[in-house]
Amino acid sequence: MASHRKSRTPGTRVAGIRTPALATAALTSVALLSQTADAAPSDDDRPSLEEVEKKVDDLYRQAESATEKYNAVKEKTTKQRKRVDTLLDDVAKRTQTLNEAREELGSFAAAQYRTGAGVPDTATFLLADSPQDFFDRDQLMDRMTGRQKAAVDDYATQQSETMEKRKEATESLATLTESQDDLKTAKATVQKKLSTARELMSKLTAEEKARLAAAEEKKREEAVRKAAELARQQAEQQEAEEEARRQQQAESGPSGTSDSSGSTSTTPSTTTGSSYAAKAEKALTFARAQIGKPYVWGATGPDSYDCSGLTQGAWKAAGVSLPRTTYDQVEAGTTVAVSQAQPGDLVFFYDDITHVGVYIGNGMMIHAPKPGTYVREESIFYDGESSIHSVVRPA
């Protein structure tokens, strides 16, 4: 299916897509993070449960965003490392060929010495900037055979190409070093945010944790209700479409009939839909098999996954290659309305497109939620309707 790319500009509205409100600003509560782990706040400056909940949620969101950036840098670093390895192998092979060519030219110089032609110094030949310079300097080119001249030309070409490849390999090594440094920075960013979130949660009392769990359960119930509502709307829509097809068939016949103008009416082809459904089923079979495996940031299986690692693996099982990050996956297909979502579609979340799940129908999806959780089925409204960024059909 053809890819239809769209703007990533936050805050815009695309027909059929629910564009979320701006994410809650986290900077207003940054002061909470300045407290050290071993300096418990007093009752006066202790943050409220609501503040802690909001901050922890935001930290997890930031960690997931940092994870996707880490994934992008890791992919770039992996490609760069492969390129460097290829270049170094090429340089090694070229150097070997160059040495062999140099030995052959050395034998020509020795032969010239034995015949007394110009009595060249073999040591001078070996130290010359190039064989061409040596032979030119000693005015031997006119006495060389065609084979000898061809060897000189070949050596000069090999030497130039080898030097160029060495330069390219050196530059690629420098780029690889920069990518590795960026990777370390991205990794440290994720770890810091997760550590801060765990620290905040560790300071909650048992009663506060129970209140948070109750609030989470209420939020989950609302998400399930919204999923059921979407499922009902989709069922009604499907029934209406089927009724329209039945009416069309009744009017024109299953194989199509000609009207008075001579045109022929036929029922819409479902070949594309059937093809997609077959691939989607393979993707969903894979995704279901991963349920219960832990979320680990940066992981692509088989024992653990992050959100985009799971969706990439699912569609790979269906023979479709998806990019590594959510930022790129959202571009890899056709955008459809939430109400038009079909099993296998990818559901993306938040303005910065930092989360993704695989739609399974009835308003539900399979996704790898966040650190400390496991791959599971959940309502696509798990974080509120406004959190849904878009739905993309990847094949």
Side-chain angles (χ1 to χ4, degrees), residues 72-104:
V73 174
K74 184 178 180 181
E75 185 176 41
K76 176 184 176 182
T77 302
T78 299
K79 290 179 179 179
Q80 191 65 32
R81 184 177 290 111
K82 290 180 179 179
R83 174 170 174 74
V84 167
D85 290 343
T86 299
L87 284 170
L88 290 177
D89 287 343
D90 189 25
V91 167
K93 292 176 182 178
R94 288 177 180 276
T95 300
Q96 178 63 30
T97 301
L98 196 63
N99 289 337
E100 292 172 357
R102 193 177 185 89
E103 290 175 2
E104 183 178 8

Side-chain angles (χ1 to χ4, degrees), residues 297-318:
W297 64 274
T300 57
D303 299 320
S304 57
Y305 295 88
D306 63 18
C307 66
S308 56
L310 176 65
T311 52
Q312 184 187 50
W315 273 100
K316 182 179 180 180

